[in-house]
Amino acid sequence: MLVKTYGSAVSGIEAYTITLEVNVTTGIKFYIVGLPDNAVKESQQRMESALKVNGWHWPGQKIVINMAPADIRKEGSAYDLPLAIGILAASEQIVSDKLGKYIIMGELSLDGSLMPIKGVLPIAIKAKQEGYEGIIVPKQNSREAAIVDGLKVYGAETIRQVAQFLVTGEGLEQEMVDTDEEFRRNIDVIDFDFAEVKGQEKVKRALEIAAAGGHNILLIGAPGSGKSMMAKRLPSILPPLTLDEALETTKIHSVAGKVSSGTSLITRRPFRSPHHTISDVALVGGGAYPQPGEISLSHNGVLFLDELPEFKRSVLEVMRQPLEDRTISISRSKFSVDYPASFMLVASMNPCPCGYFNHPERQCTCGPGMVQKYLGRISGPLLDRIDLHIEVVPVPFAKLAEQPTGESSREIRKRVIAAREIQNQRYSSIEGIHCNAQMTSKLLNKYAVPEESGRLMLKTAMEKLGLSARAYDRILKVSRTIADLEGSDNIKPCHIAEAIQYRSLDRDTWGN
């Protein structure tokens, strides 16, 4: 008997419906075709054990399974459940008219219980788009899928529950999630507050500008000066995620298997801080079966690279293209996938190997040329892509002993949101542009034209500091953001002057 069940395959962050054709006929062998990987081929042993433990029998006949379309590679163990249900129906151990109404996905244990899978949110979105009545997934993934409105989502713990539901309509309860309530519940939670920071007003100002315009920033300072502490507080002043951004962020984390059990929607901007021993593939994504890397997991959030010069040169260089294009394409011989990578890069570094170059109290012990050699670990093209370079000076004891009196993150965030709103209105008719950091050269010539005195100031800085053409663009973008924070339509000389100050490592005198 021939039976069809329906599953889904995930490529990048998009899902594709897979038709699982199961035919049980006279014979004795088991065949599975349609470009399955080893994990899919090994499903026979898991299915056979699960069926026998739960009181069914493995058909003593020829079983042929086709996974269509055959030109899409089927990966992982998530097809165990729909294949097992198909075998039960094809061998007439269960009879159901609901198989064509649901997308069914889940990994089977040997006792028939279901294990969580990856990529449930894209699968649920695709099921709704194609008009399926619902989706049946492991209980641990049900809340994640239930944020898709207009789709019935059922979470199952065992294959017996799934079979009972398909036959009688009972045994499973529909998972219900109020998407709006889930979205708003944790949107304003702040773990690290700028009100706790003593001193460092200049650094706070630079981080506020970075947050307001979506700019990349590099913090340079001695060990213990507060670079990591300040970076961890940056997400607290970024504008809250929109619902569309939250859904897109959750899709990426779902594909990577990073959505914890019981979580339905990621409502806070990601903050990723990989160790400096990370590989190229782990950072940008890839592998034999491509998965999102750290830059994609940081999408709509912050990627923090602590001790930037300690990262391998090759790791840093692979970020150059995603920093410009805000997407990463991973190509293999037979296929390619695209992952979004619109993130804010926040990096920190010591000014020299010993860490005390330009320190107000301690003496640098590095020999001649060592400072420049240390900075040389970061290429010029990568530095050009970082909009703001800010020196972090250690806070003196007198300041540390005081009670914190700085602005809270919520107060700073209000100004950042106001500046972002100006940018949203400015770029509302331009697809893919949402903040000043994303401006193209054409938009710079339209929206970031300084006054004549500011232009002359920038010309002088370019000549004396030896700035590159890309640094010129970055200064204009940052000055546009500073003007937006002040609510100014025009870019004034004071805005240009402040933006130039944030190009420390472009100066020939640095390290000499």
Side-chain angles (χ1 to χ4, degrees), residues 19-44:
T19 302
L20 307 171
E21 302 174 318
V22 182
N23 193 15
V24 176
T25 58
T26 304
I28 56 172
K29 289 191 176 182
F30 178 87
Y31 299 94
I32 184 165
V33 297
L35 213 59
D37 71 350
N38 287 333
V40 179
K41 293 176 182 177
E42 292 170 353
S43 64
Q44 178 183 358

Short mmCIF file of all heavy atoms in Angstrom, two decimals, residues 19-44:
data_model
loop_
_atom_site.label_atom_id
_atom_site.label_comp_id
_atom_site.label_asym_id
_atom_site.label_seq_id
_atom_site.Cartn_x
_atom_site.Cartn_y
_atom_site.Cartn_z
N THR A 19 7.84 15.59 0.48
CA THR A 19 6.82 14.53 0.42
C THR A 19 7.50 13.18 0.65
O THR A 19 8.45 12.83 -0.06
CB THR A 19 6.12 14.52 -0.95
OG1 THR A 19 5.51 15.80 -1.17
CG2 THR A 19 5.05 13.45 -0.99
N LEU A 20 7.01 12.46 1.66
CA LEU A 20 7.60 11.15 2.01
C LEU A 20 6.65 10.06 1.53
O LEU A 20 5.58 9.84 2.12
CB LEU A 20 7.80 11.06 3.53
CG LEU A 20 8.60 12.22 4.15
CD1 LEU A 20 8.57 12.16 5.65
CD2 LEU A 20 10.03 12.20 3.66
N GLU A 21 7.01 9.40 0.44
CA GLU A 21 6.19 8.35 -0.15
C GLU A 21 6.65 6.99 0.38
O GLU A 21 7.81 6.62 0.18
CB GLU A 21 6.29 8.38 -1.67
CG GLU A 21 5.87 9.73 -2.28
CD GLU A 21 6.13 9.79 -3.76
OE1 GLU A 21 7.20 9.34 -4.20
OE2 GLU A 21 5.26 10.30 -4.49
N VAL A 22 5.76 6.30 1.06
CA VAL A 22 6.09 5.00 1.66
C VAL A 22 5.24 3.93 0.99
O VAL A 22 4.00 4.00 0.99
CB VAL A 22 5.83 5.01 3.18
CG1 VAL A 22 6.24 3.66 3.79
CG2 VAL A 22 6.59 6.16 3.85
N ASN A 23 5.91 2.92 0.42
CA ASN A 23 5.21 1.83 -0.27
C ASN A 23 5.64 0.50 0.34
O ASN A 23 6.83 0.17 0.36
CB ASN A 23 5.53 1.86 -1.76
CG ASN A 23 4.60 0.95 -2.57
OD1 ASN A 23 3.55 0.53 -2.06
ND2 ASN A 23 4.98 0.64 -3.79
N VAL A 24 4.69 -0.24 0.88
CA VAL A 24 4.95 -1.55 1.46
C VAL A 24 4.35 -2.60 0.52
O VAL A 24 3.12 -2.65 0.31
CB VAL A 24 4.33 -1.68 2.87
CG1 VAL A 24 4.54 -3.10 3.42
CG2 VAL A 24 4.95 -0.65 3.81
N THR A 25 5.23 -3.43 -0.06
CA THR A 25 4.79 -4.43 -1.05
C THR A 25 5.47 -5.77 -0.75
O THR A 25 6.22 -5.91 0.22
CB THR A 25 5.15 -3.98 -2.48
OG1 THR A 25 6.57 -3.77 -2.56
CG2 THR A 25 4.45 -2.69 -2.84
N THR A 26 5.24 -6.71 -1.62
CA THR A 26 5.82 -8.05 -1.45
C THR A 26 7.33 -8.00 -1.60
O THR A 26 7.86 -7.41 -2.54
CB THR A 26 5.23 -9.01 -2.49
OG1 THR A 26 3.81 -9.01 -2.37
CG2 THR A 26 5.76 -10.42 -2.27
N GLY A 27 8.03 -8.58 -0.68
CA GLY A 27 9.48 -8.60 -0.70
C GLY A 27 10.03 -8.59 0.71
O GLY A 27 9.30 -8.75 1.70
N ILE A 28 11.36 -8.35 0.83
CA ILE A 28 11.95 -8.42 2.17
C ILE A 28 12.93 -7.28 2.47
O ILE A 28 13.40 -7.17 3.59
CB ILE A 28 12.70 -9.76 2.38
CG1 ILE A 28 13.78 -9.94 1.28
CG2 ILE A 28 11.72 -10.93 2.41
CD1 ILE A 28 14.68 -11.14 1.53
N LYS A 29 13.22 -6.40 1.53
CA LYS A 29 14.26 -5.41 1.74
C LYS A 29 13.68 -4.04 2.09
O LYS A 29 12.50 -3.77 1.90
CB LYS A 29 15.16 -5.33 0.52
CG LYS A 29 16.04 -6.54 0.32
CD LYS A 29 17.11 -6.29 -0.75
CE LYS A 29 18.05 -7.48 -0.86
NZ LYS A 29 19.13 -7.25 -1.85
N PHE A 30 14.59 -3.19 2.59
CA PHE A 30 14.25 -1.81 2.97
C PHE A 30 15.07 -0.86 2.10
O PHE A 30 16.30 -0.94 2.07
CB PHE A 30 14.56 -1.57 4.45
CG PHE A 30 14.29 -0.16 4.92
CD1 PHE A 30 13.04 0.22 5.36
CD2 PHE A 30 15.30 0.81 4.92
CE1 PHE A 30 12.78 1.50 5.80
CE2 PHE A 30 15.06 2.10 5.35
CZ PHE A 30 13.79 2.46 5.80
N TYR A 31 14.38 0.02 1.37
CA TYR A 31 15.06 0.99 0.52
C TYR A 31 14.59 2.40 0.89
O TYR A 31 13.40 2.63 1.10
CB TYR A 31 14.74 0.74 -0.96
CG TYR A 31 15.16 -0.60 -1.49
CD1 TYR A 31 14.25 -1.67 -1.50
CD2 TYR A 31 16.43 -0.82 -1.98
CE1 TYR A 31 14.63 -2.92 -1.98
CE2 TYR A 31 16.82 -2.06 -2.46
CZ TYR A 31 15.91 -3.10 -2.46
OH TYR A 31 16.28 -4.34 -2.94
N ILE A 32 15.53 3.33 0.91
CA ILE A 32 15.17 4.73 1.11
C ILE A 32 15.97 5.56 0.11
O ILE A 32 17.21 5.49 0.07
CB ILE A 32 15.42 5.19 2.56
CG1 ILE A 32 14.96 6.63 2.78
CG2 ILE A 32 16.86 4.99 3.01
CD1 ILE A 32 14.83 7.01 4.24
N VAL A 33 15.27 6.31 -0.75
CA VAL A 33 15.91 7.07 -1.82
C VAL A 33 15.44 8.52 -1.76
O VAL A 33 14.50 8.86 -1.05
CB VAL A 33 15.57 6.45 -3.20
CG1 VAL A 33 16.13 5.04 -3.31
CG2 VAL A 33 14.06 6.45 -3.43
N GLY A 34 16.12 9.37 -2.52
CA GLY A 34 15.76 10.79 -2.54
C GLY A 34 16.82 11.67 -1.91
O GLY A 34 16.50 12.68 -1.29
N LEU A 35 18.09 11.27 -2.03
CA LEU A 35 19.23 12.03 -1.53
C LEU A 35 19.24 12.14 0.00
O LEU A 35 19.39 13.23 0.55
CB LEU A 35 19.28 13.42 -2.16
CG LEU A 35 20.67 14.03 -2.40
CD1 LEU A 35 21.50 13.14 -3.31
CD2 LEU A 35 20.55 15.41 -2.99
N PRO A 36 19.05 11.03 0.74
CA PRO A 36 19.14 11.09 2.20
C PRO A 36 20.60 11.02 2.66
O PRO A 36 21.44 10.41 2.00
CB PRO A 36 18.39 9.83 2.64
CG PRO A 36 18.65 8.86 1.53
CD PRO A 36 18.72 9.67 0.25
N ASP A 37 20.90 11.65 3.80
CA ASP A 37 22.25 11.52 4.35
C ASP A 37 22.30 10.29 5.26
O ASP A 37 21.31 9.55 5.40
CB ASP A 37 22.68 12.80 5.07
CG ASP A 37 21.94 13.01 6.38
OD1 ASP A 37 20.97 12.27 6.65
OD2 ASP A 37 22.34 13.92 7.13
N ASN A 38 23.44 10.06 5.92
CA ASN A 38 23.60 8.86 6.73
C ASN A 38 22.62 8.82 7.91
O ASN A 38 22.15 7.75 8.29
CB ASN A 38 25.04 8.75 7.25
CG ASN A 38 26.01 8.37 6.17
OD1 ASN A 38 25.63 7.72 5.19
ND2 ASN A 38 27.27 8.76 6.29
N ALA A 39 22.34 9.99 8.50
CA ALA A 39 21.42 10.02 9.63
C ALA A 39 20.03 9.56 9.22
O ALA A 39 19.33 8.90 9.99
CB ALA A 39 21.37 11.43 10.23
N VAL A 40 19.61 9.92 8.01
CA VAL A 40 18.30 9.47 7.52
C VAL A 40 18.33 7.97 7.22
O VAL A 40 17.39 7.24 7.54
CB VAL A 40 17.90 10.27 6.26
CG1 VAL A 40 16.55 9.79 5.74
CG2 VAL A 40 17.84 11.76 6.56
N LYS A 41 19.43 7.50 6.62
CA LYS A 41 19.53 6.07 6.30
C LYS A 41 19.52 5.21 7.56
O LYS A 41 19.03 4.08 7.55
CB LYS A 41 20.81 5.82 5.50
CG LYS A 41 20.80 6.44 4.12
CD LYS A 41 22.14 6.24 3.42
CE LYS A 41 22.16 6.91 2.04
NZ LYS A 41 23.47 6.77 1.37
N GLU A 42 20.07 5.73 8.65
CA GLU A 42 20.12 4.97 9.90
C GLU A 42 18.78 4.95 10.63
O GLU A 42 18.66 4.33 11.69
CB GLU A 42 21.19 5.57 10.82
CG GLU A 42 22.61 5.37 10.32
CD GLU A 42 23.62 6.18 11.11
OE1 GLU A 42 23.18 7.00 11.95
OE2 GLU A 42 24.82 6.02 10.88
N SER A 43 17.78 5.64 10.08
CA SER A 43 16.48 5.71 10.77
C SER A 43 15.81 4.35 10.87
O SER A 43 14.95 4.15 11.74
CB SER A 43 15.56 6.69 10.03
OG SER A 43 15.27 6.22 8.72
N GLN A 44 16.17 3.40 10.02
CA GLN A 44 15.50 2.09 10.05
C GLN A 44 15.59 1.44 11.42
O GLN A 44 14.59 0.94 11.96
CB GLN A 44 16.09 1.15 9.00
CG GLN A 44 15.46 -0.24 9.02
CD GLN A 44 16.09 -1.20 8.04
OE1 GLN A 44 17.01 -0.82 7.29
NE2 GLN A 44 15.63 -2.44 8.02
#
